[in-house]
């Protein structure tokens, strides 16, 4: 018997006589504002909360995405921008230094990029969070965590109200990356350091559906 099996067996033995457990009340409920139900108030809340986390947020219409992405990248002084498979071609057409992640770039090549552009799986208004699940146009996890700059494109219809709504919309078996602003951490002396666990800079483009 392994240590794990022994531990679980002892827990089962110690709790075998426990019956009639009460239901655990939950203090949160889905807002029932899932994908496709965003209105102007919800989009504005997401924009405000994402900005609070020091992400730079831009809005545009569907026919403006390529130009807005190119302008945002130029404003950062970035040139070599990674583009994942299945990222909409019109959105990356104006990037002068687009580098396709196909075949997948190795870590050294990813580290040599100035940044990456991706789509997202869902965005959360209440927390200003974007979630990636490696779906079409999102790239693999290393693709967004190694480079220092990340530009994410969010369709307004992908914005949900709260975390429970996002959880309900996501597939739990997929690799999920939850991003609330640029990567940052604080050491024991509370000194803030950015870019340790992911990009130091995050731009978000919200596209009106």
């Amino acid at each position: 018997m392994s240590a794990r099996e022994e531990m679980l067996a002892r827990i089962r033995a110690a709790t075998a006589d426990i019956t009639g457990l009460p239901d655990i009340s939950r203090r949160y409920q889905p807002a029932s504002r899932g994908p496709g139900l965003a209105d102007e108030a919800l989009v504005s809340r997401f924009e405000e909360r994402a900005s609070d986390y020091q992400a730079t947020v831009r809005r545009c219409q569907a026919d403006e995405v390529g130009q807005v992405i190119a302008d945002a990248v130029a404003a950062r002084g970035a040139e070599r921008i990674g583009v994942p498979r299945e990222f909409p071609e019109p959105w990356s057409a104006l990037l002068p230094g687009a580098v396709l992640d196909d075949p997948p770039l190795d870590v050294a090549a990813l580290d040599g990029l100035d940044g990456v552009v991706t789509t997202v799986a869902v965005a959360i208004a209440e927390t200003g969070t974007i979630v990636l699940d490696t779906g079409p146009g999102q790239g693999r996890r290393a693709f967004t965590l190694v480079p220092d700059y990340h530009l994410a494109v969010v369709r307004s219809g992908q914005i949900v109200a709260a975390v429970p709504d996002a959880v309900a919309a996501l597939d739990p078996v997929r690799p999920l990356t939850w991003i609330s602003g640029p990567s940052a951490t604080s050491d024991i002396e509370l000194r803030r350091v950015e870019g340790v666990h992911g990009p130091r800079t995050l731009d978000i483009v919200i596209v009106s559906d």
Side-chain angles (χ1 to χ4, degrees):
M1 178 182 292
S2 68
R4 177 179 182 277
E5 292 169 337
E6 180 182 357
M7 178 187 68
L8 292 175
R10 293 174 67 178
I11 292 173
R12 293 188 188 100
T15 59
D17 60 342
I18 298 177
T19 60
L21 293 175
D23 291 335
I24 299 174
S25 59
R26 304 293 182 185
R27 290 182 296 174
Y28 60 85
Q29 293 291 335
S32 299
R33 298 291 298 278
L37 298 177
D39 55 17
E40 174 58 28
L42 203 62
V43 175
S44 295
R45 181 182 303 170
F46 170 73
E47 180 180 9
E48 176 187 353
R49 297 295 167 82
S51 298
D52 286 343
Y53 278 112
Q54 299 183 16
T56 298
V57 184
R58 296 171 172 83
R59 290 213 216 181
C60 68
Q61 301 299 315
D63 60 353
E64 302 171 323
V65 183
Q67 187 62 60
V68 171
I69 289 176
D71 291 345
V73 168
R76 297 293 183 184
E79 296 179 357
R80 288 176 51 81
I81 299 297
V83 179
R85 291 193 301 170
E86 299 184 77
F87 188 81
E89 192 279 332
W91 293 2
S92 61
L94 299 179
L95 293 174
V99 179
L100 186 62
D101 187 40
D102 187 18
L105 302 170
D106 60 24
V107 173
L110 289 174
D111 192 45
L113 296 174
D114 293 323
V116 296
V117 294
T118 73
T119 59
V120 305
V122 71
I124 307 169
E126 189 66 29
T127 60
T129 302
I130 57 174
V131 186
L132 281 65
D133 65 1
T134 72
Q138 298 172 49
R140 53 210 163 92
R141 229 176 208 166
F143 182 76
T144 54
L145 294 179
V146 174
D148 204 43
Y149 168 53
H150 180 191
L151 185 151
V153 182
V154 177
R155 295 183 183 274
S156 60
Q158 294 178 300
I159 300 174
V160 301
V163 172
D165 299 303
V167 171
L170 293 164
D171 183 347
V173 305
R174 297 188 66 84
L176 304 176
T177 304
W178 299 62
I179 302 169
S180 299
S183 169
T185 188
S186 295
D187 64 14
I188 129 180
E189 295 180 350
L190 299 181
R191 291 178 298 186
R192 180 182 172 92
V193 180
E194 297 180 348
V196 176
H197 309 297
R200 191 188 314 270
T201 306
L202 176 64
D203 283 348
I204 298 175
V205 175
I206 303 174
V207 185
S208 297
D209 285 336

